[in-house]
Amino acid sequence: MKTLVAYFTESGCTRRVAQTIAETTGATLYELKAAQPYSAADLDWRNPESRVNREANDHAARQSVKLADTSVPDWDSYDVVFVGAPVWWGVAAWPIDDFLTSNDFNGKKLAAFVTSASSSFGNESDVKDMAKGAQWLGGKRFPSSASDSAIRSWLESLAL
């Protein structure tokens, strides 16, 4: 079973979880990057005029966020896809939406993970619904300081 871990990160917390998943499962890592990269000022949640605040408050702006690339080399060969993102405003960061809606998930198993110091996985069903045709394995929120053993325990629970 060939496995992919696609993830979007800005602070590196999601990358660390993605790397642990890839190491544990023997998966390929694929970092999702915004076509228009986020600067530190863009990510300043305390500034009501920052890019992420504007996107969070405007559904159309959120939907217009595109990734630099959504096409994974040899996409059709993957059986299992993990997708990960930080939590922004109570939901999985919206840049992953472009990946989920741009790829054909028919015949693939999908599991999602998010990282957050305190927020829950607020849009798990939205993530599931965007990946048309996927067999949903479930989602999991990890704290920013998630241990490798906690990540591995979740992977074991998926019975891949």
Side-chain angles (χ1 to χ4, degrees):
M1 184 166 17
K2 192 167 177 186
T3 304
L4 175 75
V5 180
Y7 69 96
F8 174 79
T9 190
E10 285 297 330
S11 70
C13 293
T14 305
R15 177 182 295 113
R16 193 185 65 71
V17 174
Q19 288 171 330
T20 300
I21 293 170
E23 290 167 7
T24 303
T25 63
T28 302
L29 272 175
Y30 185 79
E31 184 172 357
L32 303 171
K33 296 181 180 185
Q36 180 185 348
Y38 288 87
S39 68
D42 289 337
L43 295 168
D44 183 0
W45 58 270
R46 295 171 302 240
N47 176 356
E49 299 303 316
S50 72
R51 177 179 167 192
V52 290
N53 268 313
R54 289 191 317 270
E55 291 170 354
N57 293 318
D58 180 350
H59 189 70
R62 216 177 314 158
Q63 289 183 316
S64 71
V65 174
K66 298 297 178 197
L67 295 171
D69 191 7
T70 60
S71 58
V72 174
D74 205 22
W75 171 255
D76 291 336
S77 71
Y78 291 100
D79 306 297
V80 178
V81 178
F82 289 88
V83 64
V87 173
W88 288 357
W89 283 259
V91 299
W94 42 89
I96 68 166
D97 297 359
D98 189 29
F99 174 76
L100 293 168
T101 58
S102 296
N103 286 289
D104 179 4
F105 283 85
N106 281 302
K108 298 189 186 311
K109 296 176 181 178
L110 174 67
F113 63 96
V114 295
T115 56
S116 173
S118 61
S119 297
S120 66
F121 193 146
N123 63 335
E124 186 175 334
S125 62
D126 291 345
V127 170
K128 174 185 169 186
D129 292 345
M130 281 186 262
K132 300 288 186 216
Q135 177 187 343
W136 182 245
L137 298 176
K140 176 75 173 170
R141 181 198 71 88
F142 292 101
S144 304
S145 60
S147 68
D148 288 354
S149 63
I151 297 165
R152 288 186 183 109
S153 176
W154 176 60
L155 293 170
E156 288 172 13
S157 77
L158 297 176
L160 296 173

